[in-house]
Amino acid sequence: MHALTNPYTPNAGAEPQAVVGRDDQLGSFDLLLARIERGRTEQSMIITGLRGVGKTVLLGQFRSKALARDWVVVELEVSKNDEGHFRRTLATKLRTALFELSPKARWTERFQHAAAVLRSFTVSVDLAGTLTAGLDVDAAHGFGDHGDLALDVTDVFVALGEAARERDRGVVLLLDEVQFLSKQQLEAVIEALHKMVQRKLPVTLVGAGLPQIAELAGDAKSYAERLFKFPSIGNLGDEDAKAALTKPASEEDVRFDEEALTEALRVTGGYPYFLQELGYAVWTVAEGPRISQDDVVTAVPGYEAKLDESFFRVRLDRATEMQRAYLRAMAQLGPQAQKASDVADVMGRTSQNLGPTRAELINMGLLYTPEHGYAAFTVPHFDTFMIRAIPVLDVPPLRPRKPRD
C-alpha cells in the first residue's frame, strides 16, 4: 500500500490516529481541572509506566483538554541538569504563561507583583535579565530570592496563582520525564504544589515518568502520596490493542483479518509504540485492502530491525562495556524483575562488585527497582533485543582498585 496513506505514527510522543485504553486517566484530568475551577481541591497525577506505553501522548491529550477549557499550559521536559538550568527553563516558561494570562497593557498590581517575583527568581542565574526581558519591573526583594529552591518555586507559583485567580483562569504545568528531577527539584515542585492546594489557587501540576517516580516522590516529601495519584499505564488489553490497529486502517478503507490481529498482539505484546511500529511496517508490505496473518509475519523482520536500530539501540549505545554485560545477563534471566544476586551469579561476580554498575543503569533510566533487591528493564521487550544484539554474554574483567595513599 502507498506510504502516503500509512496511518500509523511510530514517532516519539506522536499522537496516534486512535488513542485507546486511557479513558480513566483522561477522565481524572477532566475532574482535576473542573474541581479546581469550582474552588475545590483534587489529587493531581503523575502517570508512570515503561518506555513506549504512551505517557507523552497522554500529556498531549491533557494539553488539548486544558486549552479547550481556556487554561494556560506550561510544558516542560525535564533533563538531567543542574539547578540553574531548571530555574532558567522554568522561568522562561512561566514568563510566557504570565503574558498568556493577560496582555501587559492590562496588568494589575497582582500581575506586576507576579512579574517582580519572577524576576527575583531568575537573578542568581540570569544577571543580564534576558529571561525576564519585557517584564519591565524591579525584582521583588524577599520573594523568590531565598536561595532555597523550594521556597523560591513556591513564591513564584503563589504569585502566578493569585494573578490567574484574578482572571478566573488556571495554569497547568505538564512535566515529562519527572524521574530526572533531582531530589531538590522534586521537593521544590511538590512543596509548591502543596501550597497551591492549601490556598486553593488555580495552579496544578501533572507529570509523567518511569515507574520509580512514585517512590522518589515519597522519599522527597512524605505527603506526596496524598497530593498525587500515581496511575500506572502499560500494555493495552486485547480489544484496545486491536482497535489501535483497526481504527486507523479503517479510515483508509483497509481491514485486518482476525488472525492478523492475533499475530500482531503476539508480536507486540500490546504495547502502544510497538503497535504503531508494526502497523507501519505491515502497511509497507501488504497489498490491501485486506491485511492477512501472512502480511504481519512478513513485516516482522523489518519491524524488529527498525526497533533495534532506533528505539532499542539508542539506549544500548549509551552503556559502557560492563553495563552492557549487566543488561545482557539480566536478559538471559528473562523479562521479569531480576534479583541482583542472580544477575551477579550469571556474570560470575558478586552483588557487591556489580552494585555500582546496577546503580549507574538505574540513574541512566535503563533499569528501575520495583522492589528492594530487584531491578527490571524500563523498556518492554528489551530482553529479547539484548539477546539479538549480543548473542553471547561476555563479561569484561574487573579493573583492579587503585591502592589508597
Side-chain angles (χ1 to χ4, degrees), residues 173-191:
L173 285 82
L174 301 178
L175 267 62
D176 205 359
E177 304 286 7
V178 176
Q179 75 280 351
F180 288 140
L181 288 172
S182 69
K183 184 177 181 181
Q184 183 186 33
Q185 292 163 356
L186 187 57
E187 286 177 345
V189 295
I190 292 173
E191 190 170 319

Side-chain angles (χ1 to χ4, degrees), residues 28-140:
S28 292
F29 186 75
D30 283 335
L31 179 63
L32 171 66
L33 298 194
R35 285 185 60 82
I36 291 174
E37 288 169 354
R38 292 175 64 88
R40 306 286 196 270
T41 62
E42 178 68 16
Q43 281 181 300
S44 188
M45 289 185 291
I46 297 181
I47 309 294
T48 70
L50 303 182
R51 298 291 185 192
V53 296
K55 300 185 298 298
T56 302
V57 169
L58 257 182
L59 291 182
Q61 293 280 298
F62 295 161
R63 175 183 180 275
S64 297
K65 284 178 168 291
L67 291 176
R69 303 181 80 105
D70 199 31
W71 280 58
V72 172
V73 177
V74 175
E75 296 179 280
L76 178 61
E77 181 176 335
V78 180
S79 57
K80 297 177 70 174
N81 287 291
D82 60 16
E83 179 188 331
H85 180 84
F86 179 72
R87 275 184 181 260
R88 285 192 293 273
T89 305
L90 187 60
T92 300
K93 298 285 187 177
L94 295 181
R95 172 185 176 275
T96 301
L98 194 61
F99 283 120
E100 286 189 37
L101 283 171
S102 174
K104 189 177 176 183
R106 295 174 54 198
W107 278 6
T108 62
E109 287 186 9
R110 288 195 186 279
F111 276 85
Q112 293 282 349
H113 175 68
V117 174
L118 190 56
R119 182 174 285 279
S120 293
F121 181 69
T122 65
V123 165
S124 64
V125 292
D126 182 39
L127 298 178
T130 56
L131 297 179
T132 50
L135 296 182
D136 298 329
V137 293
D138 294 327

Side-chain angles (χ1 to χ4, degrees), residues 27 93 147 149 185 216 219 252 289 293 307 323 383 394:
K93 298 285 187 177
L149 186 62
Q185 292 163 356
L216 294 176
D219 290 343
E252 300 295 336
Q293 183 179 14
L307 285 177
Q323 290 167 352
D383 58 311
D394 183 16

Side-chain angles (χ1 to χ4, degrees), residues 257-290:
D257 287 348
E258 190 62 33
E259 294 80 5
L261 291 172
T262 299
E263 181 67 14
L265 267 60
R266 184 193 68 79
V267 171
T268 63
Y271 284 98
Y273 182 76
F274 295 167
L275 288 164
Q276 295 299 310
E277 281 285 13
L278 184 60
Y280 192 93
V282 169
W283 201 267
T284 65
V285 302
E287 295 183 1
R290 181 180 65 85

